[in-house]
Amino acid sequence: QLRLVESGGGLVQAGESLRLSCAASGRTFIPYVAGWFRQALGKEREFVAAINWGGGSTKYAASVKDRFTISRDNAKNTVYLQMNNTKPDDTARYYCTADQPNSRLDAYRPAYWGQGTQVTVSS
């Protein structure tokens, strides 16, 4: 079992940057795939980004491509989401996620979810 805890959410103005962190604990020796989803008020959860265990492969939603960067530090059991040039449409609750090692990044359906952290971007 994996436990995922997000941090780093908050309020920023459009154009500013924010970095979210996800601390994993438990069965962290498994080379899991990790990623981020988000859910805005009144909207369905949507995929944001995913990364393989080694960090060499990533995938991004078109809405965040070239603005967000997902990374991980396995020695620290931590996954990050660097959010640059934020927009009001980025306002949502962001969830850290993880899945089995052979999970495909282009069809990412994570089995493990954190509690989420709120990001609000003002105009």
Side-chain angles (χ1 to χ4, degrees):
Q1 183 179 0
L2 284 177
R3 175 177 168 82
L4 307 173
V5 180
E6 303 93 334
S7 63
L11 174 65
V12 295
Q13 292 186 350
E16 294 182 340
S17 298
L18 197 67
R19 188 182 75 162
L20 306 183
S21 298
C22 171
S25 61
R27 202 164 60 179
T28 56
F29 55 85
I30 296 177
Y32 56 90
V33 173
W36 295 86
F37 281 71
R38 67 185 183 185
Q39 185 170 25
L41 184 64
K43 306 292 185 180
E44 295 183 350
R45 285 180 177 175
E46 65 174 342
F47 170 79
V48 176
I51 186 170
N52 71 340
W53 182 82
S57 296
T58 57
K59 182 174 175 59
Y60 298 92
S63 59
V64 306
K65 191 179 303 181
D66 300 324
R67 298 189 300 117
F68 292 5
T69 302
I70 186 171
S71 62
R72 66 194 300 167
D73 186 340
N74 291 337
K76 297 181 178 180
N77 295 320
T78 303
V79 180
Y80 305 96
L81 184 68
Q82 179 66 42
M83 306 169 59
N84 293 332
N85 191 25
T86 56
K87 302 177 179 180
D89 285 347
D90 295 324
T91 296
R93 191 166 185 86
Y94 284 72
Y95 296 88
C96 179
T97 65
D99 201 19
Q100 62 187 39
N102 62 354
S103 181
R104 293 170 53 186
L105 299 187
D106 59 356
Y108 183 58
R109 296 291 186 182
Y112 300 95
W113 292 72
Q115 83 289 347
T117 185
Q118 180 67 34
V119 173
T120 301
V121 183
S122 63
S123 59

